[in-house]
Amino acid sequence: NGEDGCGEGVFVGSHGGNLQIGWIDMELQGKGTETTLPVYLDSWFNVQNSKTGESEPHCILYTVIADVGADGTQNILYITKPWNNDSIQMATSDFIKKQAEVDSNVVSSIVNRNNSKADSEKSDTTEHKLDELLLFVNQTYAKAFRLLEDRQSWAEGNDPEGSSRQDVVPKRGSLVMFDSVSVPHEVMMVKKNTRAALAGWFHEETQQFPVNFA
């Protein structure tokens, strides 16, 4: 914890068994400066079905703001509304990136459209319908969010945003250790001879199956 740019007590990689999926740039209250915080994906967020009354697991994105108070508690800040991942027809990361882009633009369109309408009641109805299509809680969060693994951008030849490239020469006897979740990485193709390597992972604590869905 305590990574550069993160608040004290904020972990990168995972939190409570939830893997980090991105970053968000925020100005924390009382800090006065912008801070980069990890964003985690909770795939077991409890949502009650309005028709059946049963608990259903949904996905939701959140970040953790370290409380500097005496109790040292952490405040969870949800930056999206919950969504049913079974209903989307694409990879989760692609869905989140697309929604962040859509939400960043649609919210502005809502405001402009409402300001041009004389009938405020009709404007409120339009805003409500459009709001149902939005994933992020507000436009600020949508614009400030970026994926940890933006593979589409990488495929276009771009380096991960906010990162610096570092090449590691595969010398015999080398040991390289890093957080495989928060640090984008790749193994390059062997152009000559044969490469032998031993890879291992130290996993974070596994999230327990929620009793609400047992």
Side-chain angles (χ1 to χ4, degrees):
N1 58 9
E3 292 283 330
D4 292 342
C6 295
E8 182 179 355
V10 177
F11 289 83
V12 297
S14 72
H15 173 264
N18 299 315
L19 288 181
Q20 181 184 352
I21 197 171
W23 299 97
I24 188 168
D25 300 318
M26 301 183 63
E27 183 174 323
L28 301 180
Q29 186 175 6
K31 297 289 186 180
T33 57
E34 193 172 77
T35 302
T36 301
L37 297 174
V39 174
Y40 312 98
L41 171 66
D42 184 354
S43 301
W44 295 102
F45 187 78
N46 189 358
V47 173
Q48 189 175 38
N49 189 303
S50 59
K51 296 181 178 179
T52 65
E54 296 181 352
S55 296
E56 297 179 348
H58 279 55
C59 292
I60 196 168
L61 296 185
Y62 71 94
T63 188
V64 177
I65 301 176
D67 190 345
V68 295
D71 58 358
T73 57
Q74 292 181 323
N75 296 322
I76 290 181
L77 175 66
Y78 293 105
I79 66 172
T80 68
K81 296 177 287 187
W83 76 90
N84 186 347
N85 214 47
D86 293 336
S87 63
I88 65 175
Q89 303 297 318
M90 63 182 73
T92 302
S93 58
D94 293 340
F95 167 74
I96 296 172
K97 179 183 178 181
K98 180 180 179 181
Q99 283 298 134
E101 295 172 349
V102 170
D103 291 9
S104 296
N105 297 313
V106 170
V107 176
S108 298
S109 299
I110 292 174
V111 174
N112 294 334
R113 184 179 291 107
N114 288 346
N115 289 339
S116 65
K117 289 181 179 293
D119 187 347
S120 60
E121 182 177 349
K122 184 177 181 180
S123 175
D124 290 341
T125 301
T126 301
E127 182 175 356
H128 177 72
K129 289 182 178 179
L130 287 174
D131 182 65
E132 293 179 347
L133 303 176
L134 304 180
L135 176 67
F136 283 78
V137 172
N138 57 49
Q139 187 181 35
T140 300
Y141 295 163
K143 287 185 173 182
F145 172 81
R146 63 180 186 271
L147 276 176
L148 191 64
E149 293 188 9
D150 190 344
R151 297 189 177 276
Q152 178 182 350
S153 177
W154 299 355
E156 295 170 354
N158 302 315
D159 288 338
E161 185 177 349
S163 68
S164 58
R165 183 188 296 267
Q166 182 174 346
D167 294 329
V168 179
V169 179
K171 293 182 178 179
R172 179 178 297 178
S174 298
L175 174 64
V176 180
M177 301 183 68
F178 57 92
D179 189 324
S180 61
V181 175
S182 61
V183 179
H185 57 281
E186 66 176 341
V187 178
M188 305 301 292
M189 182 182 298
V190 176
K191 298 182 179 180
K192 184 179 180 181
N193 299 326
T194 302
R195 174 175 57 213
L198 178 65
W201 290 263
F202 293 94
H203 288 275
E204 304 284 351
E205 182 179 358
T206 303
Q207 186 182 31
Q208 298 296 319
F209 192 88
V211 295
N212 295 331
F213 309 118

